[in-house]
Amino acid sequence: MSRSDIYPLFFLFCLLSFRTVLAQNPIFACDVDGNPSLANFAFCNRSLDIDSRVKDLVGRLTLQEKVGFLGNKAVAVSRLGIPSYEWWSEALHGVSYVGPGTHFSSLVPGATSFPQVILTAASFNTTLFTAIGKVVSTEARAMYNVGLAGLTFWSPNVNIFRDPRWGRGQETPGEDPLLSSKYGSSYVKGLQEADEPDKLKVGACCKHYTAYDVDNWKGIQRYTFNAIVTKQDLGDTFNPPFKSCVIDGNVASVMCSYNQVNGKPTCADSDLLAGTIRGDWKLNGYIVSDCDSVDVLYNSQHYTKTPEDAAAITIKSGLDLDCGTFLPQHSQAAVQAGKLAETDVDRAIGNNFATQIRLGFFDGNPSKLPYGGLGPSDVCTKDNQELAREAARQGIVLLKNSNDALPLNPSTSGSLAVIGPNINVTKTMIGNYEGTPCKYTTPLQGLIQAASNSKITAVQGCSDVSCSANGFQLNPAKQAAAQADVTILIVGADQSIEREGFDRTDLNLPGQQTVLVQEVTKAAKGLVILVIMSGGPFDITFAKNDDKISSILWVGYPGEAGGAAIADVLYGKFNPSGRLPVTWYPQSFADKVPMTDMRMRPDSSTGYPGRTYRFYTGDVVYSFGDGLSYTNFKHKLINAPKLVSVPLEEGHECYKKSCSSIDVTESLCQNLAFDVHMRVVNSGAMVGGHTIFLFYTPPNVHNSPKKHLLGFEKVKLEPKAARNVVFSVDFCRDMSLVDEMGNKKVALGSHVLHVGDLKHFLTVGV
Ligand SMILES: *[C@@H]1O[C@H](CO)[C@@H](O)[C@H](O)[C@H]1NC(C)=O
Ligand SMILES: *[C@@H]1O[C@H](CO)[C@@H](O)[C@H](O)[C@H]1NC(C)=O
Ligand SMILES: *[C@@H]1O[C@H](CO)[C@@H](O)[C@H](O)[C@H]1NC(C)=O
């Protein structure tokens, strides 16, 4: 073929591929423009209420069609104008390609990739959590409109980060039930909240319910793990984030997990599903299984005799949707065998349809509906990417800063040696449940931009984070440090060290990384700054105690703009304000505590130390809430009550005899609210953000936590500026305890409120 023959063909090819890209349409039902007769179906009628539309639709389906709506790949029913819908998409910290419902293409090649959740949580900024959710849902809707995404996203992960070795701890907001609750409900609101009440921008899902945080530890697999959990730990540790997702966040879905809790698979436990989520918390939405959970409880756990029994018990327990094909395959036979009522199937698919109706899926062409105007130009906007950088800055935690070594001054800090396996990473920065980002700024690129006058020498030292003896290049790293005015070590982990399906067995830096840090530090001529990039914590006691290491930062997995954010903090363009969302334990914890021991509370008879800042009795490397600033903040307690009186009726058993605690009841809880007034001053010379933590220590009854976060508030203050902060405390919501039986109690006696070193005693009496 001659050149002139090729040209028109090439042109045609471009035109065709351009057309196929543009021709992508969103998936939706009730296309009345294409098929006017669909307008006669009540389920397509937007003027009707949701229940009537659901009832109408369910009533038109055969049993065989119905069971096709029980799986993540829901069937099409063309006679009713219903296309197949893929329920499974993910948006943990940006629209993700994990899950078959979402794809990137030449039309939308990437989406804004925010920091991995554990770092965002470290910002303790609820406004930020919601702001990120809003950007993610806008980008998701934009992608849906061009056929690249679904409307239902199985995020966030609000499991408590109970054990530092957990490979999925990175996905979570950390170890504290209050922070996890605030993160979950705030992010869900950002994703879901639409302009019209009861409509959804996109559907979120809080997972994995419940007590799920062993993935694969020394061969013990999540698919068969039976978590032995006390009612007390369930009530005051594992379940609160899910409760807050449903009640405060109004989340559209909860996902049950793979593991068993006390011998029952969570997806087959009617107390957990129908009882707690649907009954007590009043979920408005659907309960979905983790992917292949139903198959797993039948085939791996052998929990039921037949597949029909597995279908029957899960649906009857309250499951509405199976991520998988098990329920579509076996539910019809379960009904025909009399093990499952067809009305149970109706309830399940009804909850799924109601969610889709709230999303506008049955409202016809989305281009005419709210969000219909969003498209590819709304993804990866300058503002969205700036928020990704801002989120990373707000989360980064400064753990050590001797002699105010940081911030560096770009004009006077001289030459730089940048050393370590994570100095120039891209994908490492975005963690798991990731999407394709808009672009990356690596740490090295961030430093080159920030210190454009400095001579920079970059040496990885190890070929990757595993830092094996093979490819370990200590000498070039030492030489670089010996000649530089400032040495910045960037070490830590990536998904090869901690990930889904893979827990760590120890808390040390991987491979030769400790040797690298120690030897480079010894050889260094100037300042040494250590940057840890990871999801989970490490035992870095050696670095904490090494006087030659002036500064230590934890930067999580900081997202697409991570390198720019790290440089912003190191060079003082941003004053760090992040606080650790988890306890950093010493290696001895991993040596003696099995990951599979779910107990939160210590047991002095066996030396079991307990878990998280609320219960753990051993030594720590760093504590929950640790984090420094380049300025100083001072607190003052202005006003808080010294006495709270619980109103008891005369006949109450604790009216005459003295009790140590009283059952929480509605009448008891009236008038038990009070305010705590604080004053915060920025006494230093630099503007900065600051989180005020209000902790309390209850009286020692019912194995209560030794300390518990009851509120936090982040403020930003100019130098010398002051601000009053008021915590509105609702005693029953914020300061009640959960007893050994899982019941809520008000403890009588002396409670201590803590803010930093300040203590305030509050007596609770009748
Ligand atoms: C939709 O429902 C409203 C309210 O019941 C009704 O007035 C209207 O006629 C219905 N539309 C169609 C096309 O049936
Ligand atoms: C750093 O990573 C970027 C992006 O992958 C790459 O373009 C650049 O060449 C790398 N720089 C060095 C010094 O390896
Ligand atoms: C919280 O985050 C929002 C959104 O990025 C930001 O505007 C605000 O300043 C932050 N608040 C504090 C106290 O840092």
Side-chain angles (χ1 to χ4, degrees):
M1 246 188 263
S2 73
R3 248 188 125 71
S4 58
D5 286 327
I6 293 173
Y7 261 120
L9 265 181
F10 181 66
F11 183 66
L12 188 68
F13 173 76
C14 287
L15 200 70
L16 280 174
S17 51
F18 191 58
R19 266 192 54 85
T20 50
V21 168
L22 281 189
Q24 283 176 314
N25 289 318
I27 305 286
F28 61 94
C30 301
D31 183 8
V32 290
D33 302 332
N35 180 357
S37 70
L38 297 176
N40 299 325
F41 292 134
F43 72 84
C44 292
N45 186 340
R46 291 163 60 192
S47 315
L48 295 175
D49 63 276
I50 293 173
D51 286 350
S52 311
R53 295 174 71 182
V54 168
K55 199 160 172 244
D56 175 71
L57 173 52
V58 171
R60 292 176 191 278
L61 299 171
T62 65
L63 176 60
Q64 195 187 351
E65 285 166 343
K66 286 175 185 174
V67 299
F69 290 97
L70 292 169
N72 63 295
K73 182 129 184 68
V75 289
V77 180
S78 52
R79 70 184 165 84
L80 299 176
I82 301 173
S84 173
Y85 175 73
E86 175 54 68
W87 284 85
W88 182 7
S89 289
E90 304 273 352
L92 185 66
H93 52 106
V95 180
S96 166
Y97 48 58
V98 176
T102 297
H103 305 276
F104 292 94
S105 76
S106 55
L107 197 54
V108 181
T112 308
S113 190
F114 290 91
Q116 183 57 297
V117 174
I118 191 75
L119 188 74
T120 295
S123 75
F124 283 88
N125 182 348
T126 54
T127 311
L128 176 67
F129 305 157
T130 302
I132 294 174
K134 278 190 180 156
V135 167
V136 173
S137 54
T138 296
E139 295 196 348
R141 269 283 172 177
M143 289 177 70
Y144 167 75
N145 287 343
V146 291
L148 292 174
L151 293 167
T152 43
F153 294 83
W154 293 344
S155 308
N157 179 342
V158 295
N159 289 122
I160 292 292
F161 195 169
R162 176 190 60 94
D163 189 290
R165 292 161 285 192
W166 188 28
R168 302 188 73 175
Q170 58 179 305
E171 299 171 30
T172 77
E175 73 183 24
D176 180 63
L178 180 74
L179 174 59
S180 298
S181 298
K182 295 265 185 199
Y183 176 83
S185 56
S186 305
Y187 186 65
V188 164
K189 282 183 194 165
L191 285 180
Q192 290 194 161
E193 272 181 3
D195 304 333
E196 290 172 67
D198 213 35
K199 288 277 179 183
L200 294 165
K201 192 175 172 193
V202 303
C205 172
C206 289
K207 65 191 186 185
H208 315 78
Y209 180 78
T210 188
Y212 164 68
D213 56 50
V214 172
D215 260 58
N216 179 358
W217 179 73
K218 300 188 175 174
I220 295 164
Q221 298 269 353
R222 55 182 172 165
Y223 305 114
T224 45
F225 178 59
N226 177 17
I228 305 297
V229 181
T230 66
K231 289 198 167 112
Q232 191 171 29
D233 288 343
L234 204 60
D236 72 4
T237 297
F238 298 110
N239 278 358
F242 291 96
K243 183 177 179 182
S244 179
C245 268
V246 175
I247 292 176
D248 306 323
N250 197 14
V251 74
S253 176
V254 173
M255 178 185 285
C256 49
S257 54
Y258 290 118
N259 57 289
Q260 300 188 341
V261 171
N262 301 328
K264 275 192 189 174
T266 58
C267 295
D269 189 330
S270 63
D271 291 337
L272 287 178
L273 307 189
T276 304
I277 303 179
R278 187 72 64 186
D280 298 345
W281 302 342
K282 313 229 168 347
L283 172 73
N284 177 16
Y286 66 102
I287 300 178
V288 61
S289 75
D290 204 340
C291 294
D292 291 329
S293 258
V294 186
D295 187 283
V296 159
L297 72 89
Y298 174 68
N299 279 308
S300 308
Q301 300 179 5
H302 311 294
Y303 186 70
T304 61
K305 279 210 183 70
T306 67
E308 292 77 29
D309 290 327
I313 194 172
T314 51
I315 294 174
K316 284 197 285 193
S317 295
L319 189 66
D320 301 310
L321 186 72
D322 173 20
C323 176
T325 55
F326 197 96
L327 291 187
Q329 269 168 17
H330 300 292
S331 298
Q332 192 175 351
V335 172
Q336 281 157 354
K339 295 177 175 193
L340 178 65
E342 188 164 346
T343 50
D344 285 319
V345 175
D346 293 350
R347 178 224 74 220
I349 59 173
N351 286 331
N352 302 339
F353 291 144
T355 308
Q356 287 178 303
I357 290 171
R358 293 170 68 205
L359 286 160
F361 185 79
F362 288 98
D363 290 352
N365 195 330
S367 67
K368 300 179 181 168
L369 297 169
Y371 314 111
L374 296 172
S377 66
D378 298 291
V379 183
C380 287
T381 63
K382 201 164 160 268
D383 286 352
N384 294 357
Q385 293 196 63
E386 183 54 31
L387 188 65
R389 179 172 178 167
E390 169 69 13
R393 293 195 287 230
Q394 287 197 31
I396 289 173
V397 181
L398 180 64
L399 290 167
K400 178 180 180 182
N401 196 23
S402 311
N403 307 318
D404 295 332
L406 291 178
L408 301 170
N409 182 334
S411 52
T412 60
S413 51
S415 59
L416 283 188
V418 186
I419 296 169
N422 278 341
I423 58 174
N424 199 33
V425 287
T426 51
K427 203 154 186 279
T428 298
M429 293 196 298
I430 60 176
N432 69 353
Y433 282 83
E434 76 286 13
T436 307
C438 314
K439 64 160 195 266
Y440 288 110
T441 306
T442 73
L444 191 56
Q445 290 167 336
L447 290 168
I448 290 169
Q449 279 161 23
S452 50
N453 295 324
S454 297
K455 175 175 175 279
I456 300 185
T457 311
V459 183
Q460 272 193 213
C462 321
S463 36
D464 54 37
V465 282
S466 68
C467 205
S468 59
N470 217 344
F472 188 41
Q473 294 216 308
L474 191 52
N475 283 335
K478 283 164 70 177
Q479 278 159 19
Q483 283 157 21
D485 297 307
V486 179
T487 294
I488 301 173
L489 283 147
I490 307 180
V491 302
D494 66 13
Q495 302 301 306
S496 69
I497 306 293
E498 49 175 355
R499 64 174 180 274
E500 182 167 15
F502 189 76
D503 303 317
R504 285 186 287 164
T505 51
D506 71 81
L507 301 176
N508 299 316
L509 289 175
Q512 303 295 306
Q513 285 195 37
T514 299
V515 177
L516 177 73
V517 174
Q518 285 174 321
E519 294 299 315
V520 164
T521 299
K522 269 190 225 156
K525 176 178 88 171
L527 276 180
V528 179
I529 290 147
L530 177 63
V531 176
I532 314 275
M533 187 182 289
S534 69
F538 285 102
D539 180 350
I540 49 159
T541 306
F542 77 92
K544 185 183 175 190
N545 294 338
D546 188 333
D547 289 340
K548 258 194 101 176
I549 298 178
S550 326
S551 308
I552 303 177
L553 288 129
W554 173 72
V555 301
Y557 293 125
E560 62 167 58
I566 292 169
D568 288 340
V569 170
L570 290 175
Y571 284 93
K573 264 203 190 162
F574 186 86
N575 189 349
S577 60
R579 303 295 197 95
L580 288 184
V582 288
T583 304
W584 286 38
Y585 302 85
Q587 170 58 26
S588 58
F589 177 90
D591 293 336
K592 86 176 157 207
V593 176
M595 190 174 170
T596 46
D597 192 328
M598 299 296 290
R599 289 175 301 163
M600 297 302 297
R601 286 151 163 94
D603 179 354
S604 54
S605 70
T606 59
Y608 180 72
R611 296 167 175 282
T612 78
Y613 80 91
R614 291 161 61 225
F615 301 104
Y616 174 66
T617 51
D619 294 332
V620 299
V621 181
Y622 288 107
S623 301
F624 174 86
D626 276 359
L628 304 168
S629 167
Y630 297 150
T631 184
N632 288 307
F633 293 94
K634 295 208 167 85
H635 303 115
K636 205 168 123 187
L637 184 74
I638 298 180
N639 190 21
K642 291 197 160 62
L643 191 70
V644 170
S645 294
V646 181
L648 279 191
E649 283 152 23
E650 259 181 50
H652 196 284
E653 57 168 345
C654 296
Y655 191 72
K656 286 218 175 86
K657 90 174 186 337
S658 82
C659 295
S660 58
S661 69
I662 303 178
D663 281 323
V664 165
T665 60
E666 222 166 276
S667 63
L668 185 87
C669 292
Q670 281 164 12
N671 307 319
L672 281 188
F674 57 88
D675 288 344
V676 175
H677 293 256
M678 306 281 313
R679 189 164 180 78
V680 193
V681 184
N682 178 354
S683 60
M686 190 172 178
V687 60
H690 176 67
T691 300
I692 304 132
F693 292 103
L694 181 60
F695 289 102
Y696 79 101
T697 299
N700 187 12
V701 290
H702 300 303
N703 266 315
S704 56
K706 58 181 174 141
K707 203 177 162 194
H708 187 95
L709 187 62
L710 81 102
F712 61 85
E713 188 72 43
K714 190 162 198 185
V715 295
K716 196 170 179 178
L717 289 175
E718 296 293 325
K720 309 299 172 205
R723 192 73 169 264
N724 288 357
V725 175
V726 181
F727 288 95
S728 298
V729 180
D730 172 334
F731 198 90
C732 288
R733 185 192 61 197
D734 304 321
M735 291 180 71
S736 58
L737 301 176
V738 173
D739 74 5
E740 293 81 350
M741 298 309 297
N743 299 318
K744 276 183 105 176
K745 298 273 187 178
V746 164
L748 300 177
S750 180
H751 292 63
V752 189
L753 298 176
H754 312 248
V755 178
D757 295 332
L758 285 177
K759 282 189 182 154
H760 174 81
F761 292 86
L762 175 80
T763 303
V764 180
V766 295

